[in-house]
């Protein structure tokens, strides 16, 4: 079985992930080289944990995942509902549940739970009937509402983005999608006036004019654009970034790590990174296209869209295009939970790839959907 | 169902194309934005990155010192040490403070104060613990610095004036740069000369600041020094001043108000320039309390005024030398003839008195100078007229700035001098439109509207000694003489005046015979006693002064000018004692003290050469 799995491993996916992890480790080393050697070791430990999870998921049949998706979703929803009641406040937001062993962030679980449940829901349905759609929308909007009040704008975005991607893949008519977008834009004033917190508004305003608050909300963006821009085309050289090594960059090993890469490696390094990401996402989409089950295919779409959103939002934020939303850069930013969940997601993708190899593709007439 | 499936598959395939397209589009958009940052805005942002990390710290230059002719420091830089501490780098704060307080002998109150200061300071910035320490105090700390983490001993310098009051007006003082200085490019931490030589020679003394480019991190901590441009120390100035002469003058003057100037006859070098009362110039360096400043400003004795150059007084009988020379130059009959002095001169509207009520009897030019007879000079002035007198005054450098490197400088007033006549005539105190005979006479004996600075009188004495050379008084040592102009004078006339000036001192009837009878060098001079009653009456009316002050202020100003040695003049001097009383008895002894010191020094030098 192992050999069979090995034979059907998607090497391109593996190689692109390995390259990204390598780039990530190199960049992270530069970002913390003057600080904490401990962080570096911890990241290596997270990596090995993540890789184990990745391997494990390569061997779990997708069927089980499909079966588990509803219970998983319900548990996640319950935990999410508990957060406002008994959650821990960290950094001004109530996002955490203290389970004694670990601090759990239910919103993180929900991301994947929603993905599976939607994939399962649309595995045997099309998104072109009102009834099907209504259920799916409820499935998505309930957790989104719970998360946005925490407040956690980043995760809410991820949730809605992944859900939209899966709906589109499931055949949502474009007209309806257009209407939804118009409605979303129309609801922005409501969001602004009643839902968003002051600090979130400030972030948006700061985006429009970072210099309005150069030492407060604008500081991060000003310093990161200085770092990126001063890197130029070829960068200042590895570990030669003054913005990074002199601590002008905030969060330089987590959310703002891209600025370190762009400062020291310049436009060239940034291009290499984005090309690697493009290869990775395209490969996931190809796996989705070839998947033998619609469930697997939709899970891949979800994973790809999550990656795409993470990358775009993170780099957009660091280079001053988007407001500051705390999303990590996949495989580059320091951080255990993000690394492990992303590798886990890739494990799922890999499983889809393995199951679809040498199998009759699911578009064949009469082939089972699950 | 199958058809449905096929349809749905086809639709899914189409939708996949959309996804395939979206990814590169999104990421390509990000890349375009990056290109904009890293290519189009690269230069601007690279500059900002440099500005972020580079701190340019000025390195202040060491100010040049000022020494006197014998190398005694007049304005020196004193090294002082300060102890600083960066809280976040201290391993054990309590222990460190215990060690420091033992070494620096801090009182318990001071320790509490220092702890408070540390507690309220930013942990990454140095906190000043103690300042203005001498090496003996900090050396135990300095030797243990490697064990006292976070503690630093810094050396700096501050300006010190060892002879503060004695040289206050000549040397002046510094203060921190003001807005006007900042506009000229000085740094806010720099000290700038405000008065005296410190001001005049600012550009020489100041030096050139250097700079240190430092790389700093986001907390402002210094990471490395990238480039260092050392500062250039200001030049040391050696003055012609001899502090021993200055001290002798001050001691002879005692607590009286006045000015003493000693000039080198040939070079114009200022050997001594004293103005009393002085003030403590060291008070300015540590930051002057405004009360003290107000007190100096409002003190009726005007300690801030340099009486040698900024104040003009009636020169009194010292001016008779100028009148006499004018008479000789005009070939007035009286200049070669005799006159009779009954003690007064009758004029149409009033009597002009001689200072000697009983009169001098028969007098001529020589005896009138020796005994300072007023009546003779009234008559002489009447003969030659005002224009001749003011021309002569101008010849001898009165009524103009001497050009000494001290500002501001007063010009004094020559009344009715032609170019300025109308201006002077319409001036505040002179509303009369015509010049009276009597005024010419009063001017001739150095009273009335005529005023001169003590420095002008000293230069006049030097010019008489050196043959009419009007020199620029030189503050710096070893300067070439700077001849401003040459008085047009017949050497024979000059010799006549010199002889008379010698007899003022040498002949038993001379006005300065008694105080200078045993002076080591033969002195030639002229006394003066300026009447101030009129001024005192003004003061009385204004009610500003106490009775006792008024009594003091009724006293006349005393003058004595001259040069020595008579046969081979080396130095010329002017002594002015405000409300001093009488030129002969009150001002001349100061000259005696000065010449004693100069003669003793010369003798010591000669002996040294013989050895």
């Amino acid at each position: 079985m192992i050999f069979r799995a090995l034979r059907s491993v998607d090497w391109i996916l593996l190689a692109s992930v390995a390259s990204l992890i390598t780039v990530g480790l190199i960049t992270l080393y530069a970002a913390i080289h003057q600080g904490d050697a401990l962080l570096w070791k911890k990241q290596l430990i997270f990596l090995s944990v993540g890789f184990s999870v990745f391997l494990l998921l390569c061997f779990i049949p997708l069927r089980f995942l499909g079966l588990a998706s509803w219970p998983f979703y319900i548990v996640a929803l319950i935990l999410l509902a508990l957060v406002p009641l008994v959650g821990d406040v960290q950094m001004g937001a109530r996002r955490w549940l203290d389970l004694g062993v670990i601090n759990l962030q239910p919103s993180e679980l929900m991301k994947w739970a929603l993905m599976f449940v939607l994939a399962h829901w649309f595995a045997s349905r099309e998104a072109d009937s009102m009834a099907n759609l209504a259920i799916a929308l409820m499935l998505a909007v309930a957790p989104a509402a719970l998360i946005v009040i925490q407040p956690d704008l980043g995760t809410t975005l991820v949730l809605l983005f992944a859900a939209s991607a899966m709906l589109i893949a499931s055949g949502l008519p474009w007209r309806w999608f257009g209407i939804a977008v118009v409605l979303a834009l129309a609801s922005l004033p409501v969001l602004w006036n009643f839902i968003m917190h002051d600090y979130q508004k400030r972030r948006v305003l700061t985006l429009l004019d970072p210099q309005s608050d150069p030492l407060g909300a604008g500081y991060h963006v000003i310093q990161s654009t200085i770092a990126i821009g001063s890197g130029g085309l070829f960068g200042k050289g590895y570990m030669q970034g003054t913005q990074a090594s002199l601590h002008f960059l905030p969060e330089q090993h987590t959310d703002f790590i891209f600025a370190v890469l762009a400062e020291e490696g310049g436009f060239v390094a940034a291009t290499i990174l984005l090309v690697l990401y493009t290869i990775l996402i395209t490969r996931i989409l190809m796996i989705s296209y070839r998947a033998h089950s619609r469930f697997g295919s939709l899970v891949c779409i979800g994973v790809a869209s999550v990656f795409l959103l993470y990358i775009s939002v993170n780099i957009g934020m660091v280079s001053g295009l988007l407001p500051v939303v705390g999303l990590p850069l996949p495989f580059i930013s320091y951080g255990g939970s993000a690394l492990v969940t992303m590798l886990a997601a890739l494990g799922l993708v890999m499983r889809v790839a393995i199951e679809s190899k040498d199998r009759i593709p699911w578009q064949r007439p009469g082939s089972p959907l699950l | 169902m199958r058809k449905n499936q096929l349809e749905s598959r086809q639709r899914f395939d189409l939708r996949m194309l959309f996804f395939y397209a979206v990814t590169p589009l999104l990421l390509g958009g990000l890349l375009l934005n990056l290109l904009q940052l890293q290519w189009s805005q690269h230069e601007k942002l690279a500059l900002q990155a440099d500005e972020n990390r580079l701190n340019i710290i000025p390195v202040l230059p060491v100010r040049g010192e000022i020494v006197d002719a014998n190398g005694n420091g007049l304005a020196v830089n004193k090294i002082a040490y300060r102890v600083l501490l960066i809280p976040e780098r201290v391993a054990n704060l309590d222990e460190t403070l215990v060690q420091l307080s033992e070494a620096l002998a801090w009182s318990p109150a001071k320790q509490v104060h220092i702890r408070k200061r540390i507690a309220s300071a930013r942990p990454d910035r140095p906190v000043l613990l103690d300042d203005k320490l001498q090496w003996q105090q900090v050396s135990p700390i300095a030797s243990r610095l490697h064990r006292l983490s976070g503690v630093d001993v810094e050396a700096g310098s501050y300006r010190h004036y060892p002879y503060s009051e004695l040289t206050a007006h000549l040397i002046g003082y510094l203060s921190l740069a003001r807005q006007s200085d900042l506009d000229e490019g000085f740094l806010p931490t720099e000290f700038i000369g405000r008065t005296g030589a410190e001001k005049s020679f600012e550009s020489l003394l100041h030096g050139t600041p250097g700079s240190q480019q430092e790389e700093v991190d986001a907390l402002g901590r210094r990471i490395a020094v990238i480039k260092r441009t050392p500062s250039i120390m200001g030049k040391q100035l050696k003055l012609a001043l001899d502090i021993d002469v200055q001290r002798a003058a001050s001691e002879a003057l005692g607590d009286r108000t006045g000015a003493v100037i000693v000039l080198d006859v040939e070079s114009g070098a200022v050997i001594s320039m004293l103005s009393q009362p002085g003030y403590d110039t060291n008070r300015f360096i540590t930051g002057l309390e405004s009360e003290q400043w107000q007190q100096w400003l409002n003190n009726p004795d005007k300690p801030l005024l340099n009486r040698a150059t900024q104040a003009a007084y009636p020169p009194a009988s010292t001016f008779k030398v100028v009148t006499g020379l004018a008479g000789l130059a005009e070939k007035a009959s009286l200049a070669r003839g005799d006159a009779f002095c009954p003690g007064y001169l009758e004029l149409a509207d009033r009597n002009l008195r001689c200072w000697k009520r009983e009169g001098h009897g028969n007098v001529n030019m020589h005896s009138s100078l020796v005994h300072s007879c007023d009546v003779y000079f009234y008559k002489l002035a009447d003969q030659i007229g005002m224009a001749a007198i003011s021309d002569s005054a101008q010849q001898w450098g009165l009524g103009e700035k001497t050009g000494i490197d001290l500002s501001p400088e007063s010009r004094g007033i020559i009344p009715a001098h032609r170019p300025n006549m109308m201006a002077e005539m319409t001036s505040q105190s002179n509303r009369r439109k015509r010049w009276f005979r009597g005024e010419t006479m009063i001017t001739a004996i150095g009273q009335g509207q005529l005023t001169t600075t003590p420095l002008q009188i000293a230069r006049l004495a030097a010019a008489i000694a050196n043959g009419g050379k009007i020199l620029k008084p030189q503050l710096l040592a070893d300067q070439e003489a700077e001849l401003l102009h040459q008085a047009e004078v017949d050497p024979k006339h000059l010799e006549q005046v010199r002889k008379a000036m010698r007899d003022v001192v040498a002949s038993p009837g001379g006005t300065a015979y008694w105080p200078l009878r045993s002076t080591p060098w033969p002195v030639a001079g002229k006394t003066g006693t300026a009447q101030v009653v009129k001024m005192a009456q003004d003061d009385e009316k204004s009610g500003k002064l106490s009775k006792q002050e008024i009594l003091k202020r009724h006293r006349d100003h005393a003058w004595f000018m001259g040069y020595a040695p008579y046969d081979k003049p080396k130095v010329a001097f002017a002594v002015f004692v405000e409300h001093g009383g009488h030129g002969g008895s009150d001002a001349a002894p100061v000259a005696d003290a000065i010449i004693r010191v100069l003669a003793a020094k010369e003798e010591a030098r000669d002996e040294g050469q013989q050895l």
Side-chain angles (χ1 to χ4, degrees), chain A residues 138-152:
Chain A
M138 268 171 50
L139 288 174
V141 168
L146 282 170
I147 295 169
V148 84
I149 58 168
Q150 285 186 350
D152 187 346

Side-chain angles (χ1 to χ4, degrees), chain B residues 429-561:
Chain B
S429 59
N430 184 355
R431 289 189 210 89
R432 284 156 299 181
K433 294 283 176 271
R434 287 189 304 118
W435 195 262
F436 290 97
R437 259 174 89 198
E439 303 229 28
T440 303
M441 295 177 180
I442 293 290
T443 306
I445 64 157
Q447 299 275 160
Q449 304 282 318
L450 179 72
T451 58
T452 59
T453 65
L455 180 61
Q456 286 172 332
I457 296 298
R459 188 169 67 157
L460 166 67
I464 290 166
N466 68 24
K469 286 191 285 216
I470 306 297
L471 301 168
K472 175 188 168 183
Q474 303 274 18
L475 285 177
L476 299 181
D478 311 320
Q479 298 286 300
E480 290 286 307
E482 194 176 323
L483 180 67
L484 298 176
H485 59 92
Q486 174 72 43
E488 287 170 35
V489 60
D490 186 330
K492 289 205 291 281
H493 296 167
L494 202 52
E495 195 48 43
Q496 221 178 318
V497 171
R498 284 182 188 151
K499 279 205 170 84
M501 283 174 74
R502 173 61 189 144
D503 276 347
V504 167
V505 177
S507 73
T511 46
Y513 167 72
W514 196 248
L516 296 173
R517 69 195 182 284
S518 60
T519 307
W521 287 349
V523 180
K526 180 75 196 80
T527 56
T529 305
Q531 293 164 17
V532 289
V533 173
K534 206 161 152 272
M535 303 179 222
Q537 282 168 341
D538 293 345
D539 280 339
E540 200 165 11
K541 278 187 206 128
S542 69
K544 270 199 307 204
L545 302 168
S546 69
K547 271 271 177 268
Q548 204 180 351
E549 279 289 305
I550 302 244
L551 278 180
K552 179 185 153 190
R553 265 151 223 281
H554 272 73
R555 295 184 27 208
D556 298 341
H557 297 318
W559 283 96
F560 184 64
M561 73 156 185

Side-chain angles (χ1 to χ4, degrees), chain B residues 345 352-353 374-382 441 445:
Chain B
L345 180 73
L352 292 179
R353 288 216 306 260
D374 295 334
V375 172
Y376 173 83
F377 284 100
Y378 294 149
K379 290 180 170 170
L380 181 65
D382 208 31
M441 295 177 180
I445 64 157

